Amino acid sequence: MIPFTKAHACGNDFLIVTEDAAPETASAHDWASLTRRLCARNTGIGADGIEFFAWTGPRAGRIRLHNADGSIAEISGNGTRCVAA
């Protein structure tokens, strides 16, 4: 089981998963597959994408956003807002 948070911002919904929570999905290819499965509206949790989050310091982190189709997004203001909250 992978713990997650589902957040909504301005009409978009995202799953937030820490990279540590999904160690078996450490490669980008596996993250794409996991994203497609979890974001599926009818068979998964349903979301516009997943923000994979990792702490890089006591008050700093990085995010990697995958769109629902598994592709990597450059950035999402709504997704970043969800993670920051």
Side-chain angles (χ1 to χ4, degrees):
M1 184 183 313
I2 298 173
F4 66 91
T5 299
K6 187 169 183 179
H8 301 262
C10 299
N12 296 113
D13 56 345
F14 297 92
L15 302 177
I16 302 165
V17 176
T18 62
E19 291 180 8
D20 293 341
E24 70 276 3
T25 59
S27 76
H29 174 71
D30 292 331
W31 281 343
S33 175
L34 176 66
T35 299
R36 286 190 297 275
R37 289 192 320 260
L38 293 181
C39 290
R41 297 273 179 200
N42 295 319
T43 58
I45 299 163
D48 293 317
I50 296 181
E51 294 271 6
F52 290 99
F53 177 78
W55 289 105
T56 59
R59 294 183 178 189
R62 74 166 181 267
I63 53 175
R64 300 169 193 265
L65 173 59
H66 283 253
N67 294 313
D69 65 2
S71 64
I72 297 172
E74 285 187 35
I75 193 164
S76 167
N78 290 337
T80 302
R81 194 174 6 262
C82 288
V83 173

